[in-house]
Amino acid sequence: MVRHGHRKVTRLEGVYHLTLKLYRCPNAECASYHQMCRPEEEGIWALPHGEFGLDVIALIGTLRYQQQRSIIQIHEELNRRGVVVAQRTVTDQLYRYEELLALHLGDPERLREKLQGHKHVIVSLDGLQPDVGHEVLWVLRDCCSGEVLLARSLLGATAKDLVPLLQEVAALCKTLAIPIAGVISDGQESIRNAVAQALPNTPHQLCQFHYFREAAKLIADADRHAKKELKKRVRGVRPIERALEGRTDKEAEVVRGYGLAVRSALTDDGHPPLDAAGLRLQQRLQAIDTSISRIEEKRGFLSSLSNSNSLSRRD
């Protein structure tokens, strides 16, 4: 028995009206008797009962989690591409993306292949919250292989919310016959309580980066203060640039180049605690000052400027 069904799917390149051949087995002795069979190719276009193509869902997920765009920005980008969609629908399709991602990451066969040869896993647990007030994407990853074991979006981050995630990962590792040797996190109280409940007697330590960041907090604060004081000494760049407006000679171009170098140094925040922003600023300003000193010794044409502004090493 054959009949035709109709479906509309919105993809990035336009809206498609699909005509589907739907079959029902007429054989009463068949195990699939009277069950509806749909075309296999239909799954390439969209999810069951979905109105948007998989390419639209993939784009929404990429914009959200790789480019950190908000729902409003994603909605604007889709409209710019000619995809007519309501803002609320963007959120719904983001949920579909997260579900597909969770299914892919949690596929036991995929993980079995990736973790083959590993004697154990060390689970790292952390939450990603792009926007305040929205769901938190929790990711559980194996530190030994780097593979993501589980990803779920949760409305809360209490121990009650996190225990099921850890239990699910424990069940997965049991299926793969790979024991959990330990857990690493940022030490959040709710995570500590969840690990104690879901994985009793499993070692749980603070993430090395978080541990180091806490240990270096006093140094980082001092470095931040030092950068603030250094920035006060180079506030005279703009008046110098204004004094050179309209000049096209070589000396003016050189001074403008130094001004750009100073501006670039001021906007470089570094990556504390491993890359101290204050120390980096001091090194870059010192390099600029040394360069100016060499030019002063050779040409002398920057002497008057250096003595009257904060580019000089005397400041």
Side-chain angles (χ1 to χ4, degrees):
M1 300 175 61
V2 181
R3 69 181 182 87
H4 291 87
H6 301 278
R7 185 176 181 184
K8 183 173 70 173
V9 177
T10 300
R11 304 185 71 176
L12 293 177
E13 63 267 25
V15 179
Y16 291 81
H17 295 269
L18 307 180
T19 300
L20 311 173
K21 288 185 177 181
L22 309 178
Y23 298 84
R24 288 185 186 274
C25 180
N27 186 359
E29 297 180 358
C30 178
S32 301
Y33 172 66
H34 223 56
Q35 293 183 7
M36 182 67 69
C37 296
R38 307 180 70 89
E40 183 178 354
E41 188 179 355
E42 182 184 7
I44 301 176
W45 287 77
L47 296 175
H49 311 292
E51 298 180 359
F52 294 89
L54 298 177
D55 55 347
V56 175
I57 297 176
L59 176 62
I60 291 174
T62 300
L63 294 174
R64 180 64 165 174
Y65 293 116
Q66 287 191 7
Q67 301 185 20
Q68 300 296 310
R69 299 199 193 182
S70 66
I71 297 298
I72 296 177
Q73 291 173 327
I74 297 174
H75 180 244
E76 293 174 349
E77 176 63 19
L78 290 174
N79 287 338
R80 188 187 68 80
R81 291 171 177 254
V83 180
V84 180
V85 57
Q87 185 172 312
R88 174 61 185 174
T89 304
V90 174
T91 304
D92 293 337
Q93 299 311 306
L94 182 62
Y95 293 156
R96 303 293 83 77
Y97 172 84
E98 293 171 349
E99 292 167 357
L100 291 172
L101 180 62
L103 287 173
H104 171 70
L105 295 177
D107 181 11
E109 293 303 320
R110 184 191 74 88
L111 290 174
R112 192 186 306 276
E113 179 181 351
K114 295 293 185 180
L115 299 178
Q116 187 176 10
H118 290 265
K119 297 182 179 180
H120 58 257
V121 298
I122 298 177
V123 179
S124 67
L125 175 65
D126 201 2
L128 173 66
Q129 188 171 7
D131 292 325
V132 177
H134 290 75
E135 291 185 338
V136 179
L137 177 64
W138 285 90
V139 178
L140 288 82
R141 184 175 61 90
D142 172 33
C143 295
C144 299
S145 64
E147 287 297 318
V148 175
L149 304 175
L150 183 67
R152 291 284 187 276
S153 290
L154 302 178
L155 291 173
T158 64
K160 184 178 179 181
D161 298 315
L162 300 178
V163 165
L165 296 185
L166 292 168
Q167 291 175 339
E168 188 173 347
V169 166
L172 176 63
C173 292
K174 185 177 181 180
T175 302
L176 299 176
I178 302 177
I180 297 177
V183 179
I184 295 177
S185 73
D186 60 4
Q188 185 176 322
E189 183 177 358
S190 60
I191 296 179
R192 294 201 304 268
N193 294 334
V195 172
Q197 295 179 41
L199 301 172
N201 302 321
T202 300
H204 180 196
Q205 82 170 39
L206 190 65
C207 165
Q208 294 179 3
F209 174 79
H210 288 88
Y211 182 88
F212 183 71
R213 186 180 65 179
E214 293 298 320
K217 189 175 184 302
L218 294 178
I219 298 177
D221 291 342
D223 178 78
R224 191 178 302 110
H225 177 73
K227 181 178 181 180
K228 180 180 178 181
E229 295 300 317
L230 283 172
K231 290 173 70 173
K232 292 180 180 179
R233 300 188 177 188
V234 288
R235 289 178 177 173
V237 176
R238 184 55 182 161
I240 297 173
E241 293 175 331
R242 286 177 178 172
L244 298 174
E245 290 179 357
R247 289 180 55 181
T248 58
D249 56 280
K250 185 177 180 179
E251 295 180 359
E253 292 300 321
V254 171
V255 176
R256 290 193 186 96
Y258 280 117
L260 289 175
V262 172
R263 290 181 181 277
S264 175
L266 293 176
T267 56
D268 191 348
D269 292 330
H271 298 281
L274 298 178
D275 188 4
L279 288 177
R280 173 180 285 195
L281 177 60
Q282 192 274 336
Q283 292 170 355
R284 294 183 65 172
L285 292 179
Q286 183 61 51
I288 294 171
D289 179 74
T290 302
S291 177
I292 292 176
S293 298
R294 288 199 301 267
I295 294 179
E296 286 180 336
E297 294 174 359
K298 293 180 180 180
R299 299 286 299 276
F301 68 86
L302 292 178
S303 298
S304 58
L305 289 174
S306 299
N307 291 330
S308 61
N309 65 72
S310 44
L311 284 177
S312 172
R313 65 182 183 275
R314 300 176 183 82
D315 291 333

